[in-house]
Amino acid sequence: MLFRISCLFLVLGFRGPVHGGPLTNPHPNITDQQLFWGSDQYDFSVVLPAAGLECFWHFAHHGERFYLSFMVQWVTGIGHDRHLSVTVNSPSSLLVSTVDDAKGQVNFEAKETGFYQMCFSNFHNRFGTMQVFLSFGVYYDGYKDPAKRKDEEKKKKEEVSKDLNNTLSVIEDATHKVENYVFHMFRYYNFGRMRGSADHFLLRSNSQYITWWSIALSLLIVTCGYLQLLFLKRLFITKTSGEEEKPRC
C-alpha cells in the first residue's frame, strides 16, 4: 500500500502542474459587439410556479429594434388569474417597459448596447402555476456596423450620382428589404401560433371541465333517483299483525 502511494507521488511529481480547466475566453480577439452582431429570435414556453419569477437576458446594439411577444397558455390552481407581470430593463438597470396582462407585445429601439433583462412574474397566482409562450429577439435594418454602414451609404450615393443604372446595388437593396419583410412575417406568424396554442389549451381545459361536471351530475341524478325509489317503496310496506305481535296482559 505504501509502495503504491509513493509511486503515485512520483508520477505526479514528474508530470508537474496540469494547465487545464474551462476556457473562459474562447474568442480573445473578438469584441462583444462583433460576437453578438446579427438578427436572431427565440421561441419557447416556460412554466412559472406559484408566485414565481423568471428572468432572461438578450443582447442588443444601440439603434436597433428589440421586440418581445408573450401569451399565457394555461393556468392551474385556485383563482385562475391569467394576468402576467412583465418588465424589461436596460443594461444600466433602467426600466424600459412594463406590461401586466395575459398577452402583450413590447417593441422599442435600443438606446444602449448590452444585455437587456426580461422578467416574468406570476405574483397574481399564489396557489397556481402557468405556462407562458415567449418570442423575443432583435432585428437589424442594416447588416453591418454603423460606421461601415455610413461609409457604404456615402459610396452608394456617389455611385448612384455617377451611374443611375447600377443594377447590383438595386438588387442588393431589394434583397435586404425582402429579408426584412420575411422576418416581420415570421414574427406575426409566431404571434398567431401563440393564439392558436392558447385556444387549444383553453378548449382542452373546457372539455375536461364539462366532462367531469357531466359525470358528477349523472352520479347525482342516479343517486337521487335511487333514494326517491327507496323512500317510496318504504311508504307501501305493510306489517301483518300476528299472534306474536298481540299485546300481552
Side-chain angles (χ1 to χ4, degrees):
M1 184 67 181
L2 294 174
F3 177 73
R4 292 181 180 176
I5 295 174
S6 61
C7 290
L8 179 61
F9 279 114
L10 285 174
V11 171
L12 293 176
F14 281 115
R15 291 185 64 182
V18 179
H19 300 283
L23 186 61
T24 58
N25 191 8
H27 303 284
N29 299 324
I30 300 177
T31 61
D32 290 341
Q33 294 190 8
Q34 294 175 350
L35 183 63
F36 291 101
W37 192 268
S39 301
D40 54 359
Q41 57 180 345
Y42 298 94
D43 304 319
F44 58 89
S45 297
V46 61
V47 177
L48 297 177
L53 177 67
E54 290 285 346
C55 293
F56 303 94
W57 286 262
H58 193 62
F59 192 86
H61 290 269
H62 172 71
E64 304 305 333
R65 303 297 301 182
F66 182 96
Y67 74 93
L68 166 66
S69 302
F70 66 92
M71 181 175 291
V72 177
Q73 293 181 321
W74 52 260
V75 182
T76 62
I78 303 173
H80 296 280
D81 193 349
R82 300 178 66 89
H83 280 74
L84 176 67
S85 179
V86 181
T87 57
V88 180
N89 298 321
S90 64
S92 58
S93 300
L94 295 176
L95 182 63
V96 178
S97 179
T98 178
V99 181
D100 192 353
D101 203 350
K103 61 181 179 180
Q105 295 185 6
V106 177
N107 193 345
F108 61 89
E109 182 180 348
K111 301 297 182 181
E112 304 177 51
T113 299
F115 287 92
Y116 284 79
Q117 183 188 44
M118 301 165 287
C119 291
F120 304 89
S121 177
N122 185 24
F123 71 90
H124 292 288
N125 290 306
R126 297 291 180 179
F127 304 99
T129 60
M130 67 166 53
Q131 179 172 312
V132 186
F133 187 84
L134 306 177
S135 176
F136 60 88
V138 293
Y139 60 92
Y140 299 90
D141 296 332
Y143 55 98
K144 293 184 179 179
D145 293 337
K148 294 181 180 179
R149 202 187 317 157
K150 290 180 180 178
D151 295 337
E152 290 186 356
E153 287 177 357
K154 291 180 180 179
K155 291 180 181 179
K156 285 181 180 180
K157 289 180 180 179
E158 293 176 358
E159 290 177 357
V160 170
S161 62
K162 292 179 181 179
D163 187 7
L164 296 176
N165 296 324
N166 193 346
T167 309
L168 292 177
S169 62
V170 174
I171 293 174
E172 188 177 3
D173 293 337
T175 302
H176 288 297
K177 286 182 180 179
V178 170
E179 289 180 353
N180 195 14
Y181 293 153
V182 170
F183 181 79
H184 287 290
M185 182 182 66
F186 275 105
R187 280 186 57 205
Y188 292 119
Y189 168 75
N190 288 331
F191 195 74
R193 192 175 62 175
M194 288 185 198
R195 292 181 177 177
S197 61
D199 293 340
H200 172 71
F201 284 111
L202 182 61
L203 289 174
R204 286 184 56 184
S205 62
N206 290 338
S207 177
Q208 293 178 357
Y209 177 81
I210 293 172
T211 301
W212 286 110
W213 266 108
S214 299
I215 294 173
L217 291 176
S218 299
L219 292 176
L220 181 63
I221 292 171
V222 172
T223 305
C224 291
Y226 176 76
L227 293 176
Q228 288 180 358
L229 182 63
L230 185 63
F231 180 74
L232 292 174
K233 186 177 180 181
R234 294 191 60 172
L235 290 177
F236 292 98
I237 292 177
T238 57
K239 294 182 179 181
T240 57
S241 58
E243 296 179 356
E244 297 177 358
E245 296 180 357
K246 292 181 179 181
R248 299 181 179 179
C249 295

